[in-house]
């Protein structure tokens, strides 16, 4: 078929017009939103972790979208509440994958991380957890990453401080069995150091949400063992409640908490019962770095509360995912990109993953609660 010069001329003009419009519109870039999942317990007793984490991630998503998203594509955050139930967590992750997320930020607790990792591996979708610290997921080639150190650093820090700086040598322990991959792991590491250096664990009492025993009954049992101190390995709400029940009976016995309980919610709920309580902290609230201070200020102005370690680490986890998405090459899996980068920016220093997706962070400290504030001791 013969096409006239006039028709070619018209076609040429349309081609040029389309090219110009593409350039003006940003080079014909794909404007389909990039879906990223977020999963955490945003209801129930562990909601302070999930809500702080969710808000921090949403804040970073909005920042990226104000600046054009990632390579011209907006970010779409899809949020799921795992309700601190393994089966719900697995179902929620499957729903996120079915909705087309390219990565997941979360979960916030160790038991939920244990529950979802097989699903991540099956579908080859990476997740970066802000605060799951169990060592049961250490040293494995999988699709689970985390930006917080494992329980070994925090539990050992606590045990070493008790041996070195206090007179406590007999400790009675209460721990949450509903997050046992964290709490039992934490207890075992603490006990290993504490006992090998002259201490004694005189009681180990587990509790769970289906229990029939009241908090005051458990507190009385803890105190019946005539320990020098009490160690509570639980979320912030339960830690505050145990402190209140213990203080009704004994106003002087030293109380220590794991890092899980050391959130801003503890300060809100604990009242006078938590005054003097020792806690191990996973980051430096008073860190002077410009990036951290700017984040803290924006978070506080937006939500009228401090981000705490859940907010800080969730922001870091999101930054890891978004940085990898920015640098991901065509036809490369996101895990390949995560593994090849290795080092990512964080609010309190760079985050460096080892070959198993674990990190080492050196911000752990021992603090005491005074006047509803965490005061660093060591």
């Amino acid at each position: 078929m013969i096409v006239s010069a006039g028709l070619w001329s018209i076609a040429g003009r349309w081609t040029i017009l389309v090219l110009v419009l593409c350039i003006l519109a940003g080079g014909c870039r794909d404007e389909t939103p990039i879906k990223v999942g977020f999963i955490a317990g945003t209801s129930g007793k562990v909601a302070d972790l999930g809500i702080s984490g969710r808000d921090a991630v949403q804040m970073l998503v909005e920042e990226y979208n104000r600046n054009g998203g990632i390579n011209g594509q907006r970010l779409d955050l899809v949020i799921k509440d795992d309700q601190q139930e393994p089966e719900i967590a697995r179902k929620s992750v499957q729903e996120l994958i079915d909705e087309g997320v390219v990565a997941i930020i979360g979960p916030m607790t160790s038991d939920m991380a244990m529950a979802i990792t097989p699903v991540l591996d099956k579908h080859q979708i990476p997740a970066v957890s802000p605060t799951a610290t169990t060592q049961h997921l250490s040293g494995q080639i999988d699709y689970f990453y985390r930006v917080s150190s494992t329980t070994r650093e925090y539990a050992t820090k606590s045990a070493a401080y008790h041996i070195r700086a206090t007179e406590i040598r007999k400790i009675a322990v209460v721990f949450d069995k509903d997050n046992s991959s964290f709490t039992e792991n934490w207890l075992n590491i603490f006990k290993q150091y504490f006992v090998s250096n002259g201490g004694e664990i005189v009681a180990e009492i587990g509790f769970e949400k289906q229990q029939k025993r009241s908090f005051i009954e458990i507190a009385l049992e803890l105190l019946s063992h005539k320990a020098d101190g009490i160690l509570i390995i639980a979320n912030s709400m339960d830690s505050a409640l145990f402190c209140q029940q213990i203080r009704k009976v004994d106003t002087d016995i030293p109380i220590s908490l794991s890092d899980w309980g050391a959130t801003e919610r503890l300060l809100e709920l604990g009242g006078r019962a938590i005054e003097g309580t020792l806690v191990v902290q996973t980051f430096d609230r008073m860190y002077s770095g410009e990036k951290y201070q700017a984040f803290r200020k924006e978070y506080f102005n937006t939500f009228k509360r401090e981000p705490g370690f859940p907010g800080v680490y969730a922001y870091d986890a999101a930054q890891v995912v978004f940085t990898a998405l920015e640098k991901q090459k065509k036809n490369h899996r996101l895990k390949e990109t995560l593994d090849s980068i290795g080092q990512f920016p964080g609010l309190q220093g760079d985050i460096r993953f080892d070959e198993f997706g674990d990190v080492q962070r050196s911000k752990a400290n021992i603090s005491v609660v005074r006047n509803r504030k965490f005061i660093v001791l060591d």
Side-chain angles (χ1 to χ4, degrees):
M1 185 177 75
I2 299 174
V3 180
S4 69
L7 289 175
W8 276 116
S9 178
I10 293 170
R13 291 191 188 114
W14 275 110
T15 300
I16 293 170
L17 179 60
V18 170
L19 288 171
V20 170
L21 289 174
C22 277
I23 292 169
L24 292 175
C28 290
R29 290 176 297 193
D30 185 358
E31 294 185 357
T32 305
I34 300 172
K35 289 187 177 182
V36 175
F38 175 83
I39 184 168
T42 54
S43 60
K45 291 184 177 182
V46 300
D48 56 331
L49 268 71
I51 291 172
S52 294
R54 178 201 65 196
D55 291 345
V57 173
Q58 187 65 63
M59 199 169 80
L60 186 59
V61 167
E62 291 172 1
E63 179 185 328
Y64 265 82
N65 285 339
R66 285 195 302 269
N67 293 307
I70 292 179
N71 301 323
Q73 293 179 262
R74 286 180 56 80
L75 288 166
D76 184 5
L77 189 65
V78 186
I79 299 168
K80 297 288 184 181
D81 178 9
D82 63 33
Q83 300 178 41
Q84 192 60 18
E85 292 285 351
E87 191 53 44
I88 293 175
R90 284 188 286 268
K91 180 182 177 183
S92 297
V93 165
Q94 186 62 59
E95 289 172 353
L96 288 172
I97 293 168
D98 292 343
E99 289 184 49
V101 301
V102 297
I104 295 170
I105 300 160
M108 304 291 283
T109 63
S110 293
D111 267 20
M112 298 307 101
M114 294 284 290
I116 72 167
T117 295
V119 184
L120 301 173
D121 292 347
K122 177 182 177 181
H123 295 280
Q124 300 183 347
I125 297 293
V128 182
S129 171
T131 52
T133 62
T134 179
Q135 286 195 284
H136 295 308
L137 291 171
S138 297
Q140 299 181 23
I141 301 294
D142 52 28
Y143 281 77
F144 174 76
Y145 296 76
R146 53 178 150 207
V147 297
S148 179
S149 294
T150 66
T151 51
R152 180 166 299 280
E153 179 178 353
Y154 306 131
T156 301
K157 177 82 174 181
S158 178
Y161 182 83
H162 281 84
I163 293 296
R164 176 172 52 83
T166 78
E167 296 181 357
I168 298 171
R169 292 298 178 269
K170 294 183 178 181
I171 288 183
V173 183
V174 60
F175 62 96
D176 184 353
K177 294 174 68 175
D178 288 321
N179 191 20
S180 60
S181 61
F182 168 80
T183 58
E184 292 179 11
N185 187 215
W186 209 99
L187 172 56
N188 289 336
I189 293 168
F190 179 94
K191 180 166 61 174
Q192 182 180 13
Y193 187 99
F194 190 70
V195 172
S196 64
N197 286 275
E200 180 183 356
I201 305 296
V202 296
E204 299 176 16
I205 303 171
F207 71 97
E208 52 195 327
K209 60 186 174 184
Q210 301 299 332
Q211 69 180 15
K212 296 181 180 179
R213 301 179 69 198
S214 67
F215 276 49
I216 185 61
E217 288 176 319
I218 296 174
L220 288 171
E221 182 180 351
L222 285 168
L223 293 169
S224 71
H225 291 277
K226 306 299 180 183
D228 301 329
I230 304 293
L231 171 61
I232 303 169
I233 311 174
N235 62 68
S236 58
M237 179 182 287
D238 287 340
S239 294
L241 290 172
F242 273 120
C243 287
Q244 290 166 352
Q245 299 308 313
I246 291 166
R247 288 290 175 243
K248 288 180 181 179
V249 182
D250 191 324
T251 58
D252 297 321
I253 190 167
I255 301 174
S256 299
L257 307 180
S258 71
D259 45 296
W260 187 19
T263 70
E264 275 56 30
R265 196 179 194 189
L266 176 78
L267 303 178
E268 295 169 7
L269 299 176
R272 288 186 298 175
I274 63 169
E275 285 293 305
T277 299
L278 291 176
V279 298
V280 58
Q281 298 278 350
T282 63
F283 82 115
D284 184 356
R285 282 175 169 78
M286 297 296 108
Y287 186 72
S288 61
E290 182 178 345
K291 187 160 51 173
Y292 167 71
Q293 288 297 334
F295 160 78
R296 182 186 177 195
K297 180 180 179 180
E298 182 181 356
Y299 187 100
F300 187 86
N301 289 341
T302 303
F303 304 109
K304 309 306 177 189
R305 51 184 163 79
E306 292 284 346
F309 75 84
V312 170
Y313 284 177
Y315 189 95
D316 282 353
Q319 189 66 73
V320 166
V321 171
F322 301 160
T323 299
L325 286 170
E326 285 179 312
K327 296 185 178 182
Q328 186 179 12
K329 295 179 181 178
K330 189 176 181 180
N331 299 323
H332 279 221
R333 291 188 177 276
L334 191 59
K335 178 174 173 56
E336 293 179 71
T337 307
L338 283 165
D339 293 341
S340 65
I341 296 172
Q343 180 173 310
F344 297 83
L347 289 173
Q348 295 197 4
D350 289 341
I351 298 161
R352 296 178 178 86
F353 291 113
D354 63 19
E355 66 270 33
F356 304 113
D358 296 324
V359 299
Q360 287 292 325
R361 306 187 74 147
S362 58
K363 299 296 181 183
N365 62 70
I366 301 295
S367 297
V368 63
V369 178
R370 289 182 185 149
N371 299 318
R372 296 184 65 182
K373 292 182 180 179
F374 295 112
I375 308 300
V376 176
L377 297 177
D378 183 67

